[in-house]
Amino acid sequence: MAAGLALWALPAQAATLVARVDVAAQKMTVSHLGKVLHEWPVSTARAGYTTPRGEYRPQRIHKMWHSRKYDMSPMPFAVFYDRGWAVHGTSAVSHLGSPASHGCVRLATPNAEIFYTLVRQIGPGNTRIIVQD
């Protein structure tokens, strides 16, 4: 499991951990069993890029990942949900709350670590990531 965790999905109704990304408001709300645990500012895709909308389950998670597509940029506490898109930490915290990424959902690294830990504890199959306008 050092390189990452391969995941399989359960039906959506089995999800107890839900991360709802509101692209218009640039925030992510994390709830467990319907109770809001956290609400954090995020950065999603800036002009010229896209953050895909939809409902996803984590596909794989990595404590640290480096983007092969974007100059080996660090992606700490990455929770990949759709192909190469992930929720992950960033050091560019001054941009949180406004679109600034190449499409991923960026969080302050301490918040990304909290989310990553919740996904590991509660289980990727019990997690849903919803990205909407």
Side-chain angles (χ1 to χ4, degrees), residues 11 14 17 28 30 45 49 51 88 95 107-108 112 117 125 127 129:
L17 179 66
M28 182 169 100
V30 179
Y49 296 91
T51 298
H88 66 82
H95 296 292
L107 292 168
T117 301
T127 302
I129 298 169

Side-chain angles (χ1 to χ4, degrees), residues 100-123:
S101 79
H102 288 111
C104 285
V105 177
R106 294 182 186 171
L107 292 168
T109 300
N111 297 338
E113 182 177 11
I114 291 167
F115 180 60
Y116 168 91
T117 301
L118 284 168
V119 172
R120 286 190 61 108
Q121 289 175 345
I122 294 167

Side-chain angles (χ1 to χ4, degrees), residues 8-20:
W8 47 92
L10 295 176
Q13 59 269 27
T16 61
L17 179 66
V18 178
R20 189 173 303 274

Side-chain angles (χ1 to χ4, degrees), residues 42-120:
V42 299
S43 287
T44 59
R46 66 182 184 245
Y49 296 91
T50 186
T51 298
R53 304 324 193 252
E55 186 174 315
Y56 307 92
R57 285 178 205 81
Q59 297 172 345
R60 58 192 171 92
I61 63 176
H62 299 273
K63 189 171 186 177
M64 176 55 81
W65 186 259
H66 290 88
S67 171
R68 294 180 188 118
K69 187 172 183 178
Y70 296 108
D71 302 318
M72 299 304 286
S73 296
M75 298 168 65
F77 303 106
V79 178
F80 285 87
Y81 61 88
D82 182 34
R83 298 166 282 165
W85 285 281
V87 174
H88 66 82
T90 184
S91 59
V93 293
S94 65
H95 296 292
L96 294 174
S98 59
S101 79
H102 288 111
C104 285
V105 177
R106 294 182 186 171
L107 292 168
T109 300
N111 297 338
E113 182 177 11
I114 291 167
F115 180 60
Y116 168 91
T117 301
L118 284 168
V119 172
R120 286 190 61 108

